[in-house]
Amino acid sequence: MPQLDEALVDDPHEVQRLDSRGHLRALATAGAQVREAAHLAAEAGIDRLEREERPRAVLVAALGGSAVVGEVLTVLAEAQSPVPVSQRAAGPLPAWVGPMDLVVAVSLSGRAPGPLGLAAEAGRRGAQLVTVGADESPLADVTARARGLHVPVPRGLVSSRTSLWSLLTPVLLASATLGVVDLPAPVLDELADRLDAQAEACRPSSECFVNPAKIAAQALVETVPVVLGDGPLMGVAAHRAVAGLARTARIPAMHGCLPDGASQVVATFGGPFTAAGGQGAGSLAAARGGRDIFADPFLDAPEEPPLGLLMLREGGSGIPPEQTSLAETVLQEAHDVGVRVQEITSGARHPAVRLAEVMALTDFLSTYAALGLGLDPSTNPHVANLRAAGHP
């Protein structure tokens, strides 16, 4: 069963040795990314959108690590937007997109074929176009020809996994200007401050017994992980978390969102990784959160990892009572059968800040999980092989 090595995540020299491209350091710049992206958006002329009519519909074109931009915009728009918001990774561009609609295309390099092709077709159809990506890139050229708005990202960014807020901030600002989401200026300042606070709490010099990301990583690495959001907002964070576990830490994980995901997740509580469904003393001891100290690794069967549940929750006032009640019921079921349960909660007032706070912590969690397993969070040879074969 895998275990997180505290000596690796608590030793700055080991962290630096393993983290070849500064993945951890890049995550810590999230708050600065928000502020710099807002500045770049202003320089690009985002205020000109105030003179534009609200679009009939919004389509976000993004793929890979950038796809979360569309997910965040969609869930934030649900509460306020009078127009529908959808997303797509690649073509063809839906037939309904025309001059009355807005297409937002996001690509860190400005070269991703899916968003680039969708943006080009949107321009040909006369749709309003807002793009975010590298300056002097094919995406920037497409936007210029369509007389759209291109917001450049800072130079030197190497991964969309660690540059989320450089990509997402201009999209949120453009959407707020057009009345698609509610994001007053003070909220963006609070969001950046919360990201700074998470970076401070999860800094490498903060040891395993006090660092919330290291604590969560240590517990999750030794389990078969399930990440569950207590509603649509935290469902986006749960999807982001399992993507990070897979891509950064090489840990396959299942994710869900309440209420729809409740039965699917609870069904696993009766399976082979819990006390309710496990067979044999090794499984039962693991499911109850302990190890059989008398087990002989040569004569007994290998110890099976227990099921682990990471519940991402919204705190504070304004949360529907039925959402809280269902989450508590799921947690009680998990405790009853020996599932290893962890909770991450944000009580921030604005949903964008709640989402940012939780996603920042899970980003650090997956990075420390990789480091604690002796893996480089920045690179993956198997993904590199895919790209070398021409697959994005």
Side-chain angles (χ1 to χ4, degrees):
M1 184 168 68
Q3 289 182 284
L4 184 139
D5 188 341
E6 291 186 23
L8 292 178
V9 296
D10 280 346
D11 186 334
H13 299 293
E14 287 294 334
V15 168
Q16 186 174 12
R17 178 183 67 83
L18 288 168
D19 192 0
S20 66
R21 297 183 182 176
H23 190 97
L24 199 59
R25 184 188 298 271
L27 288 178
T29 67
Q33 288 178 34
V34 172
R35 300 182 185 95
E36 185 172 13
H39 175 71
L40 289 170
E43 284 192 335
I46 202 166
D47 58 341
R48 85 184 201 205
L49 295 177
E50 295 176 354
R51 301 187 294 273
E52 302 286 344
E53 292 185 4
R54 179 182 291 148
R56 178 183 62 179
V58 179
L59 176 72
V60 182
L63 56 73
S66 304
V68 67
V69 172
E71 296 175 23
V72 171
L73 184 61
T74 300
V75 74
L76 292 179
E78 284 177 353
Q80 181 200 355
S81 177
V83 302
V85 177
S86 59
Q87 59 188 104
R88 181 159 292 205
L93 189 69
W96 55 260
V97 175
M100 298 176 65
D101 304 304
L102 168 66
V103 172
V104 178
V106 179
S107 167
L108 184 67
S109 67
R111 300 177 182 277
L116 183 59
L118 289 167
E121 179 59 25
R124 283 191 288 269
R125 295 190 196 176
Q128 188 176 9
L129 190 60
V130 173
T131 60
V132 182
D135 202 8
E136 299 179 357
S137 65
L139 185 61
D141 293 341
V142 163
T143 310
R145 288 196 298 270
R147 297 184 179 179
L149 174 68
H150 180 76
V151 180
V153 296
R155 296 182 183 276
L157 301 181
V158 296
S159 169
S160 56
R161 285 180 293 146
T162 57
S163 308
L164 170 61
W165 294 100
S166 292
L167 300 171
L168 179 55
T169 302
V171 175
L172 292 179
L173 287 170
S175 302
T177 303
L178 291 167
V180 176
V181 297
D182 176 27
L183 193 75
V187 170
L188 201 63
D189 293 336
E190 181 189 357
L191 191 154
D193 290 343
R194 290 289 182 109
L195 290 172
D196 285 343
Q198 283 290 49
E200 175 66 18
C202 300
R203 65 192 185 279
S205 60
S206 175
E207 296 179 318
C208 267
F209 59 90
V210 292
N211 186 314
K214 291 181 182 179
I215 292 170
Q218 188 170 37
L220 211 62
V221 159
E222 299 179 0
T223 69
V224 176
V226 177
V227 185
L228 186 61
D230 69 349
L233 187 72
M234 288 299 122
V236 172
H239 191 194
R240 167 83 173 179
V242 299
L245 286 170
R247 180 68 175 81
T248 304
R250 287 72 147 175
I251 297 174
M254 167 185 174
H255 81 279
C257 170
L258 298 181
D260 291 349
S263 58
Q264 181 178 343
V265 169
V266 171
T268 66
F269 295 173
F273 302 107
T274 67
Q279 301 296 319
S283 297
L284 187 59
R288 286 175 175 167
R291 297 187 178 85
D292 183 358
I293 61 174
F294 299 104
D296 189 318
F298 297 100
L299 299 178
D300 297 328
E303 185 179 1
E304 296 174 357
L307 192 67
L309 174 63
L310 176 62
M311 178 72 87
L312 308 181
R313 305 189 64 179
E314 297 182 76
S317 60
I319 307 303
E322 59 272 17
Q323 179 173 320
T324 301
S325 175
L326 180 55
E328 292 295 338
T329 300
V330 172
L331 288 170
Q332 187 58 55
E333 285 287 323
H335 284 295
D336 288 347
V337 295
V339 174
R340 291 189 184 178
V341 175
Q342 300 174 79
E343 295 181 60
I344 296 176
T345 304
S346 173
R349 295 179 62 183
H350 195 280
V353 183
R354 292 200 294 271
L355 194 56
E357 191 169 38
V358 171
M359 288 199 303
L361 181 50
T362 60
D363 283 349
F364 280 108
L365 183 165
S366 61
T367 304
Y368 282 123
L371 293 168
L373 292 171
L375 301 171
D376 184 347
S378 305
T379 62
N380 187 311
H382 305 291
V383 175
N385 290 341
L386 280 179
R387 291 178 175 170
H391 304 289

